[in-house]
PDB file of all heavy atoms in Angstrom:
ATOM      1  N   LEU A   1      58.424 -77.357  65.739  1.00 65.00           N
ATOM      2  CA  LEU A   1      57.642 -78.547  66.137  1.00 65.00           C
ATOM      3  C   LEU A   1      56.844 -78.303  67.398  1.00 65.00           C
ATOM      4  O   LEU A   1      57.244 -77.491  68.282  1.00 65.00           O
ATOM      5  CB  LEU A   1      58.648 -79.687  66.344  1.00 65.00           C
ATOM      6  CG  LEU A   1      59.431 -80.177  65.054  1.00 65.00           C
ATOM      7  CD1 LEU A   1      60.357 -81.300  65.500  1.00 65.00           C
ATOM      8  CD2 LEU A   1      58.553 -80.647  64.001  1.00 65.00           C
ATOM      9  N   LYS A   2      55.755 -79.067  67.488  1.00 72.00           N
ATOM     10  CA  LYS A   2      54.964 -79.017  68.696  1.00 72.00           C
ATOM     11  C   LYS A   2      55.634 -79.615  69.918  1.00 72.00           C
ATOM     12  O   LYS A   2      56.379 -80.589  69.770  1.00 72.00           O
ATOM     13  CB  LYS A   2      53.616 -79.635  68.465  1.00 72.00           C
ATOM     14  CG  LYS A   2      52.792 -79.022  67.314  1.00 72.00           C
ATOM     15  CD  LYS A   2      52.530 -77.566  67.511  1.00 72.00           C
ATOM     16  CE  LYS A   2      51.760 -76.978  66.409  1.00 72.00           C
ATOM     17  NZ  LYS A   2      51.486 -75.523  66.560  1.00 72.00           N
ATOM     18  N   PRO A   3      55.400 -79.108  71.106  1.00 79.00           N
ATOM     19  CA  PRO A   3      56.071 -79.638  72.262  1.00 79.00           C
ATOM     20  C   PRO A   3      55.551 -81.055  72.652  1.00 79.00           C
ATOM     21  O   PRO A   3      54.382 -81.303  72.362  1.00 79.00           O
ATOM     22  CB  PRO A   3      55.809 -78.623  73.368  1.00 79.00           C
ATOM     23  CG  PRO A   3      54.550 -77.960  72.998  1.00 79.00           C
ATOM     24  CD  PRO A   3      54.603 -77.916  71.506  1.00 79.00           C
ATOM     25  N   SER A   4      56.408 -81.839  73.278  1.00 82.00           N
ATOM     26  CA  SER A   4      55.957 -83.156  73.736  1.00 82.00           C
ATOM     27  C   SER A   4      56.793 -83.563  74.899  1.00 82.00           C
ATOM     28  O   SER A   4      57.916 -83.105  75.049  1.00 82.00           O
ATOM     29  CB  SER A   4      56.109 -84.205  72.559  1.00 82.00           C
ATOM     30  OG  SER A   4      57.460 -84.368  72.283  1.00 82.00           O
ATOM     31  N   ILE A   5      56.231 -84.460  75.704  1.00 85.00           N
ATOM     32  CA  ILE A   5      56.930 -85.035  76.918  1.00 85.00           C
ATOM     33  C   ILE A   5      56.748 -86.527  76.819  1.00 85.00           C
ATOM     34  O   ILE A   5      55.731 -87.025  76.623  1.00 85.00           O
ATOM     35  CB  ILE A   5      56.374 -84.452  78.238  1.00 85.00           C
ATOM     36  CG1 ILE A   5      56.534 -82.964  78.270  1.00 85.00           C
ATOM     37  CG2 ILE A   5      57.015 -85.159  79.410  1.00 85.00           C
ATOM     38  CD1 ILE A   5      55.899 -82.322  79.475  1.00 85.00           C
ATOM     39  N   THR A   6      57.870 -87.242  77.114  1.00 87.00           N
ATOM     40  CA  THR A   6      57.854 -88.686  77.004  1.00 87.00           C
ATOM     41  C   THR A   6      58.396 -89.305  78.350  1.00 87.00           C
ATOM     42  O   THR A   6      59.517 -88.861  78.728  1.00 87.00           O
ATOM     43  CB  THR A   6      58.677 -89.162  75.798  1.00 87.00           C
ATOM     44  OG1 THR A   6      58.159 -88.568  74.602  1.00 87.00           O
ATOM     45  CG2 THR A   6      58.607 -90.695  75.710  1.00 87.00           C
ATOM     46  N   PHE A   7      57.672 -90.178  78.886  1.00 87.00           N
ATOM     47  CA  PHE A   7      58.163 -90.969  80.071  1.00 87.00           C
ATOM     48  C   PHE A   7      58.334 -92.434  79.657  1.00 87.00           C
ATOM     49  O   PHE A   7      57.580 -92.962  78.896  1.00 87.00           O
ATOM     50  CB  PHE A   7      57.154 -90.914  81.252  1.00 87.00           C
ATOM     51  CG  PHE A   7      56.938 -89.555  81.786  1.00 87.00           C
ATOM     52  CD1 PHE A   7      55.890 -88.735  81.295  1.00 87.00           C
ATOM     53  CD2 PHE A   7      57.814 -89.022  82.758  1.00 87.00           C
ATOM     54  CE1 PHE A   7      55.649 -87.488  81.827  1.00 87.00           C
ATOM     55  CE2 PHE A   7      57.582 -87.721  83.249  1.00 87.00           C
ATOM     56  CZ  PHE A   7      56.543 -86.966  82.785  1.00 87.00           C
ATOM     57  N   SER A   8      59.349 -93.043  80.269  1.00 88.00           N
ATOM     58  CA  SER A   8      59.546 -94.434  79.966  1.00 88.00           C
ATOM     59  C   SER A   8      60.354 -95.082  81.134  1.00 88.00           C
ATOM     60  O   SER A   8      61.150 -94.508  81.754  1.00 88.00           O
ATOM     61  CB  SER A   8      60.463 -94.654  78.674  1.00 88.00           C
ATOM     62  OG  SER A   8      60.663 -95.999  78.455  1.00 88.00           O
ATOM     63  N   LYS A   9      59.905 -96.360  81.422  1.00 86.00           N
ATOM     64  CA  LYS A   9      60.498 -97.107  82.540  1.00 86.00           C
ATOM     65  C   LYS A   9      61.964 -97.573  82.175  1.00 86.00           C
ATOM     66  O   LYS A   9      62.825 -97.524  83.097  1.00 86.00           O
ATOM     67  CB  LYS A   9      59.713 -98.272  82.931  1.00 86.00           C
ATOM     68  CG  LYS A   9      58.401 -97.915  83.541  1.00 86.00           C
ATOM     69  CD  LYS A   9      57.587 -99.201  83.968  1.00 86.00           C
ATOM     70  CE  LYS A   9      56.238 -98.841  84.588  1.00 86.00           C
ATOM     71  NZ  LYS A   9      55.543-100.082  84.949  1.00 86.00           N
ATOM     72  N   SER A  10      62.162 -97.938  80.982  1.00 87.00           N
ATOM     73  CA  SER A  10      63.494 -98.401  80.570  1.00 87.00           C
ATOM     74  C   SER A  10      63.726 -98.133  79.108  1.00 87.00           C
ATOM     75  O   SER A  10      62.808 -97.818  78.354  1.00 87.00           O
ATOM     76  CB  SER A  10      63.616 -99.921  80.876  1.00 87.00           C
ATOM     77  OG  SER A  10      62.677-100.666  80.076  1.00 87.00           O
ATOM     78  N   GLY A  11      64.999 -98.232  78.710  1.00 86.00           N
ATOM     79  CA  GLY A  11      65.366 -97.966  77.325  1.00 86.00           C
ATOM     80  C   GLY A  11      66.762 -98.479  77.032  1.00 86.00           C
ATOM     81  O   GLY A  11      67.550 -98.818  78.024  1.00 86.00           O
ATOM     82  N   ILE A  12      67.158 -98.453  75.781  1.00 83.00           N
ATOM     83  CA  ILE A  12      68.485 -98.890  75.464  1.00 83.00           C
ATOM     84  C   ILE A  12      68.949 -98.070  74.241  1.00 83.00           C
ATOM     85  O   ILE A  12      68.114 -97.704  73.383  1.00 83.00           O
ATOM     86  CB  ILE A  12      68.502-100.372  75.079  1.00 83.00           C
ATOM     87  CG1 ILE A  12      69.968-100.890  74.873  1.00 83.00           C
ATOM     88  CG2 ILE A  12      67.625-100.693  73.864  1.00 83.00           C
ATOM     89  CD1 ILE A  12      70.076-102.390  74.720  1.00 83.00           C
ATOM     90  N   LEU A  13      70.259 -97.753  74.166  1.00 76.00           N
ATOM     91  CA  LEU A  13      70.884 -97.057  73.081  1.00 76.00           C
ATOM     92  C   LEU A  13      71.179 -98.052  71.989  1.00 76.00           C
ATOM     93  O   LEU A  13      71.823 -99.060  72.181  1.00 76.00           O
ATOM     94  CB  LEU A  13      72.093 -96.397  73.539  1.00 76.00           C
ATOM     95  CG  LEU A  13      71.945 -95.222  74.526  1.00 76.00           C
ATOM     96  CD1 LEU A  13      73.327 -94.652  74.960  1.00 76.00           C
ATOM     97  CD2 LEU A  13      71.100 -94.099  73.939  1.00 76.00           C
ATOM     98  N   GLN A  14      70.663 -97.803  70.821  1.00 75.00           N
ATOM     99  CA  GLN A  14      70.827 -98.695  69.666  1.00 75.00           C
ATOM    100  C   GLN A  14      71.601 -98.001  68.568  1.00 75.00           C
ATOM    101  O   GLN A  14      71.269 -96.864  68.164  1.00 75.00           O
ATOM    102  CB  GLN A  14      69.453 -99.106  69.189  1.00 75.00           C
ATOM    103  CG  GLN A  14      69.465 -99.999  67.934  1.00 75.00           C
ATOM    104  CD  GLN A  14      68.047-100.466  67.531  1.00 75.00           C
ATOM    105  OE1 GLN A  14      67.468-101.326  68.184  1.00 75.00           O
ATOM    106  NE2 GLN A  14      67.488 -99.776  66.583  1.00 75.00           N
ATOM    107  N   LYS A  15      72.617 -98.693  68.036  1.00 70.00           N
ATOM    108  CA  LYS A  15      73.381 -98.127  66.889  1.00 70.00           C
ATOM    109  C   LYS A  15      72.826 -98.454  65.616  1.00 70.00           C
ATOM    110  O   LYS A  15      72.438 -99.642  65.346  1.00 70.00           O
ATOM    111  CB  LYS A  15      74.837 -98.700  66.986  1.00 70.00           C
ATOM    112  CG  LYS A  15      75.790 -98.023  66.057  1.00 70.00           C
ATOM    113  CD  LYS A  15      77.241 -98.444  66.289  1.00 70.00           C
ATOM    114  CE  LYS A  15      78.212 -97.691  65.373  1.00 70.00           C
ATOM    115  NZ  LYS A  15      79.605 -98.063  65.626  1.00 70.00           N
ATOM    116  N   ASN A  16      72.659 -97.440  64.770  1.00 70.00           N
ATOM    117  CA  ASN A  16      71.990 -97.640  63.450  1.00 70.00           C
ATOM    118  C   ASN A  16      73.071 -97.953  62.375  1.00 70.00           C
ATOM    119  O   ASN A  16      74.312 -97.876  62.637  1.00 70.00           O
ATOM    120  CB  ASN A  16      71.233 -96.301  63.022  1.00 70.00           C
ATOM    121  CG  ASN A  16      70.263 -95.972  64.056  1.00 70.00           C
ATOM    122  OD1 ASN A  16      69.561 -96.818  64.585  1.00 70.00           O
ATOM    123  ND2 ASN A  16      70.078 -94.702  64.353  1.00 70.00           N
ATOM    124  N   ALA A  17      72.592 -98.339  61.244  1.00 69.00           N
ATOM    125  CA  ALA A  17      73.516 -98.746  60.157  1.00 69.00           C
ATOM    126  C   ALA A  17      74.379 -97.650  59.642  1.00 69.00           C
ATOM    127  O   ALA A  17      75.471 -97.793  59.217  1.00 69.00           O
ATOM    128  CB  ALA A  17      72.659 -99.346  58.949  1.00 69.00           C
ATOM    129  N   ASN A  18      73.873 -96.367  59.736  1.00 63.00           N
ATOM    130  CA  ASN A  18      74.668 -95.248  59.290  1.00 63.00           C
ATOM    131  C   ASN A  18      75.545 -94.653  60.305  1.00 63.00           C
ATOM    132  O   ASN A  18      76.170 -93.577  60.055  1.00 63.00           O
ATOM    133  CB  ASN A  18      73.667 -94.124  58.800  1.00 63.00           C
ATOM    134  CG  ASN A  18      72.749 -93.659  59.934  1.00 63.00           C
ATOM    135  OD1 ASN A  18      72.749 -94.171  61.028  1.00 63.00           O
ATOM    136  ND2 ASN A  18      71.913 -92.659  59.580  1.00 63.00           N
ATOM    137  N   GLY A  19      75.749 -95.316  61.459  1.00 57.00           N
ATOM    138  CA  GLY A  19      76.630 -94.903  62.496  1.00 57.00           C
ATOM    139  C   GLY A  19      76.050 -94.038  63.528  1.00 57.00           C
ATOM    140  O   GLY A  19      76.656 -93.802  64.570  1.00 57.00           O
ATOM    141  N   THR A  20      74.753 -93.563  63.316  1.00 62.00           N
ATOM    142  CA  THR A  20      74.161 -92.691  64.365  1.00 62.00           C
ATOM    143  C   THR A  20      73.538 -93.656  65.384  1.00 62.00           C
ATOM    144  O   THR A  20      73.481 -94.881  65.284  1.00 62.00           O
ATOM    145  CB  THR A  20      73.070 -91.869  63.703  1.00 62.00           C
ATOM    146  OG1 THR A  20      72.081 -92.750  63.120  1.00 62.00           O
ATOM    147  CG2 THR A  20      73.678 -90.963  62.662  1.00 62.00           C
ATOM    148  N   LYS A  21      72.952 -93.074  66.512  1.00 67.00           N
ATOM    149  CA  LYS A  21      72.340 -93.890  67.573  1.00 67.00           C
ATOM    150  C   LYS A  21      70.905 -93.382  67.784  1.00 67.00           C
ATOM    151  O   LYS A  21      70.610 -92.146  67.674  1.00 67.00           O
ATOM    152  CB  LYS A  21      73.140 -93.784  68.780  1.00 67.00           C
ATOM    153  CG  LYS A  21      74.450 -94.558  68.781  1.00 67.00           C
ATOM    154  CD  LYS A  21      75.061 -94.633  70.119  1.00 67.00           C
ATOM    155  CE  LYS A  21      76.348 -95.475  70.086  1.00 67.00           C
ATOM    156  NZ  LYS A  21      76.995 -95.663  71.371  1.00 67.00           N
ATOM    157  N   SER A  22      70.016 -94.285  68.134  1.00 77.00           N
ATOM    158  CA  SER A  22      68.693 -93.975  68.494  1.00 77.00           C
ATOM    159  C   SER A  22      68.361 -94.556  69.823  1.00 77.00           C
ATOM    160  O   SER A  22      69.096 -95.423  70.306  1.00 77.00           O
ATOM    161  CB  SER A  22      67.671 -94.469  67.449  1.00 77.00           C
ATOM    162  OG  SER A  22      67.825 -95.892  67.277  1.00 77.00           O
ATOM    163  N   LEU A  23      67.330 -94.054  70.499  1.00 81.00           N
ATOM    164  CA  LEU A  23      66.933 -94.548  71.775  1.00 81.00           C
ATOM    165  C   LEU A  23      65.635 -95.350  71.718  1.00 81.00           C
ATOM    166  O   LEU A  23      64.615 -94.820  71.276  1.00 81.00           O
ATOM    167  CB  LEU A  23      66.735 -93.305  72.722  1.00 81.00           C
ATOM    168  CG  LEU A  23      66.432 -93.476  74.237  1.00 81.00           C
ATOM    169  CD1 LEU A  23      67.538 -94.305  74.818  1.00 81.00           C
ATOM    170  CD2 LEU A  23      66.278 -92.208  74.927  1.00 81.00           C
ATOM    171  N   VAL A  24      65.758 -96.608  72.099  1.00 86.00           N
ATOM    172  CA  VAL A  24      64.554 -97.470  72.062  1.00 86.00           C
ATOM    173  C   VAL A  24      63.999 -97.484  73.485  1.00 86.00           C
ATOM    174  O   VAL A  24      64.674 -97.810  74.468  1.00 86.00           O
ATOM    175  CB  VAL A  24      64.971 -98.901  71.652  1.00 86.00           C
ATOM    176  CG1 VAL A  24      63.745 -99.795  71.662  1.00 86.00           C
ATOM    177  CG2 VAL A  24      65.636 -98.896  70.220  1.00 86.00           C
ATOM    178  N   LEU A  25      62.713 -97.139  73.623  1.00 88.00           N
ATOM    179  CA  LEU A  25      62.008 -97.052  74.879  1.00 88.00           C
ATOM    180  C   LEU A  25      60.942 -98.099  75.067  1.00 88.00           C
ATOM    181  O   LEU A  25      60.329 -98.536  74.021  1.00 88.00           O
ATOM    182  CB  LEU A  25      61.351 -95.666  75.020  1.00 88.00           C
ATOM    183  CG  LEU A  25      62.249 -94.437  74.785  1.00 88.00           C
ATOM    184  CD1 LEU A  25      61.362 -93.144  74.811  1.00 88.00           C
ATOM    185  CD2 LEU A  25      63.344 -94.359  75.791  1.00 88.00           C
ATOM    186  N   TRP A  26      60.776 -98.547  76.312  1.00 87.00           N
ATOM    187  CA  TRP A  26      59.772 -99.601  76.620  1.00 87.00           C
ATOM    188  C   TRP A  26      58.843 -99.083  77.748  1.00 87.00           C
ATOM    189  O   TRP A  26      59.402 -98.376  78.669  1.00 87.00           O
ATOM    190  CB  TRP A  26      60.428-100.922  77.024  1.00 87.00           C
ATOM    191  CG  TRP A  26      61.063-101.634  75.883  1.00 87.00           C
ATOM    192  CD1 TRP A  26      60.379-102.255  74.780  1.00 87.00           C
ATOM    193  CD2 TRP A  26      62.469-101.814  75.679  1.00 87.00           C
ATOM    194  NE1 TRP A  26      61.333-102.840  73.961  1.00 87.00           N
ATOM    195  CE2 TRP A  26      62.622-102.572  74.492  1.00 87.00           C
ATOM    196  CE3 TRP A  26      63.587-101.463  76.365  1.00 87.00           C
ATOM    197  CZ2 TRP A  26      63.854-102.940  73.965  1.00 87.00           C
ATOM    198  CZ3 TRP A  26      64.825-101.805  75.919  1.00 87.00           C
ATOM    199  CH2 TRP A  26      64.924-102.577  74.698  1.00 87.00           C
ATOM    200  N   ASP A  27      57.583 -99.414  77.669  1.00 87.00           N
ATOM    201  CA  ASP A  27      56.665 -99.175  78.752  1.00 87.00           C
ATOM    202  C   ASP A  27      56.609 -97.758  79.221  1.00 87.00           C
ATOM    203  O   ASP A  27      57.223 -97.357  80.216  1.00 87.00           O
ATOM    204  CB  ASP A  27      56.946-100.118  79.920  1.00 87.00           C
ATOM    205  CG  ASP A  27      56.875-101.576  79.627  1.00 87.00           C
ATOM    206  OD1 ASP A  27      55.988-101.954  78.793  1.00 87.00           O
ATOM    207  OD2 ASP A  27      57.673-102.349  80.116  1.00 87.00           O
ATOM    208  N   GLY A  28      55.965 -96.924  78.395  1.00 88.00           N
ATOM    209  CA  GLY A  28      55.958 -95.528  78.707  1.00 88.00           C
ATOM    210  C   GLY A  28      54.749 -94.778  78.185  1.00 88.00           C
ATOM    211  O   GLY A  28      53.816 -95.337  77.558  1.00 88.00           O
ATOM    212  N   HIS A  29      54.733 -93.503  78.351  1.00 87.00           N
ATOM    213  CA  HIS A  29      53.692 -92.581  77.928  1.00 87.00           C
ATOM    214  C   HIS A  29      54.304 -91.417  77.146  1.00 87.00           C
ATOM    215  O   HIS A  29      55.386 -90.932  77.571  1.00 87.00           O
ATOM    216  CB  HIS A  29      52.837 -92.043  79.087  1.00 87.00           C
ATOM    217  CG  HIS A  29      52.057 -93.081  79.742  1.00 87.00           C
ATOM    218  ND1 HIS A  29      50.679 -93.306  79.509  1.00 87.00           N
ATOM    219  CD2 HIS A  29      52.412 -94.027  80.748  1.00 87.00           C
ATOM    220  CE1 HIS A  29      50.336 -94.329  80.246  1.00 87.00           C
ATOM    221  NE2 HIS A  29      51.293 -94.711  81.045  1.00 87.00           N
ATOM    222  N   ARG A  30      53.641 -90.935  76.103  1.00 86.00           N
ATOM    223  CA  ARG A  30      54.053 -89.767  75.422  1.00 86.00           C
ATOM    224  C   ARG A  30      52.891 -88.761  75.352  1.00 86.00           C
ATOM    225  O   ARG A  30      51.829 -89.096  74.813  1.00 86.00           O
ATOM    226  CB  ARG A  30      54.510 -90.102  73.998  1.00 86.00           C
ATOM    227  CG  ARG A  30      55.049 -88.876  73.180  1.00 86.00           C
ATOM    228  CD  ARG A  30      55.615 -89.351  71.798  1.00 86.00           C
ATOM    229  NE  ARG A  30      56.290 -88.282  71.156  1.00 86.00           N
ATOM    230  CZ  ARG A  30      55.720 -87.402  70.290  1.00 86.00           C
ATOM    231  NH1 ARG A  30      54.403 -87.518  70.064  1.00 86.00           N
ATOM    232  NH2 ARG A  30      56.393 -86.432  69.728  1.00 86.00           N
ATOM    233  N   TYR A  31      53.115 -87.567  75.887  1.00 84.00           N
ATOM    234  CA  TYR A  31      52.132 -86.516  75.855  1.00 84.00           C
ATOM    235  C   TYR A  31      52.493 -85.500  74.841  1.00 84.00           C
ATOM    236  O   TYR A  31      53.575 -84.899  74.953  1.00 84.00           O
ATOM    237  CB  TYR A  31      52.042 -85.925  77.255  1.00 84.00           C
ATOM    238  CG  TYR A  31      51.720 -86.897  78.390  1.00 84.00           C
ATOM    239  CD1 TYR A  31      52.746 -87.512  79.095  1.00 84.00           C
ATOM    240  CD2 TYR A  31      50.402 -87.177  78.668  1.00 84.00           C
ATOM    241  CE1 TYR A  31      52.445 -88.446  80.138  1.00 84.00           C
ATOM    242  CE2 TYR A  31      50.069 -88.080  79.710  1.00 84.00           C
ATOM    243  CZ  TYR A  31      51.134 -88.681  80.407  1.00 84.00           C
ATOM    244  OH  TYR A  31      50.858 -89.591  81.360  1.00 84.00           O
ATOM    245  N   SER A  32      51.667 -85.253  73.875  1.00 82.00           N
ATOM    246  CA  SER A  32      51.914 -84.350  72.764  1.00 82.00           C
ATOM    247  C   SER A  32      50.798 -83.436  72.502  1.00 82.00           C
ATOM    248  O   SER A  32      49.608 -83.798  72.810  1.00 82.00           O
ATOM    249  CB  SER A  32      52.319 -85.165  71.549  1.00 82.00           C
ATOM    250  OG  SER A  32      51.184 -85.999  71.098  1.00 82.00           O
ATOM    251  N   ASN A  33      51.084 -82.278  71.934  1.00 73.00           N
ATOM    252  CA  ASN A  33      50.077 -81.319  71.547  1.00 73.00           C
ATOM    253  C   ASN A  33      50.250 -81.036  70.095  1.00 73.00           C
ATOM    254  O   ASN A  33      50.998 -80.129  69.703  1.00 73.00           O
ATOM    255  CB  ASN A  33      50.233 -80.066  72.388  1.00 73.00           C
ATOM    256  CG  ASN A  33      49.205 -78.948  72.115  1.00 73.00           C
ATOM    257  OD1 ASN A  33      48.355 -79.203  71.245  1.00 73.00           O
ATOM    258  ND2 ASN A  33      49.338 -77.881  72.805  1.00 73.00           N
ATOM    259  N   ASP A  34      49.595 -81.802  69.264  1.00 65.00           N
ATOM    260  CA  ASP A  34      49.776 -81.687  67.818  1.00 65.00           C
ATOM    261  C   ASP A  34      48.885 -80.724  67.109  1.00 65.00           C
ATOM    262  O   ASP A  34      49.219 -80.179  66.023  1.00 65.00           O
ATOM    263  CB  ASP A  34      49.548 -83.106  67.152  1.00 65.00           C
ATOM    264  CG  ASP A  34      50.535 -84.138  67.668  1.00 65.00           C
ATOM    265  OD1 ASP A  34      51.676 -83.770  67.998  1.00 65.00           O
ATOM    266  OD2 ASP A  34      50.130 -85.278  67.746  1.00 65.00           O
ATOM    267  N   ASP A  35      47.723 -80.415  67.716  1.00 63.00           N
ATOM    268  CA  ASP A  35      46.777 -79.468  67.061  1.00 63.00           C
ATOM    269  C   ASP A  35      46.853 -78.035  67.592  1.00 63.00           C
ATOM    270  O   ASP A  35      46.036 -77.198  67.144  1.00 63.00           O
ATOM    271  CB  ASP A  35      45.371 -80.020  67.138  1.00 63.00           C
ATOM    272  CG  ASP A  35      44.947 -80.284  68.583  1.00 63.00           C
ATOM    273  OD1 ASP A  35      45.739 -79.993  69.486  1.00 63.00           O
ATOM    274  OD2 ASP A  35      43.835 -80.848  68.788  1.00 63.00           O
ATOM    275  N   GLY A  36      47.711 -77.782  68.600  1.00 60.00           N
ATOM    276  CA  GLY A  36      47.799 -76.396  69.088  1.00 60.00           C
ATOM    277  C   GLY A  36      46.806 -76.124  70.187  1.00 60.00           C
ATOM    278  O   GLY A  36      46.766 -74.984  70.674  1.00 60.00           O
TER     279      GLY A  36
END
């Protein structure tokens, strides 16, 4: 996968229906390099 950097001021851990957890982020920037 292509590298990426994500900044966020705040976030919360959220439990999914299958028992796993995801990270919900608010107010941020994501820098990605998708085309190389």
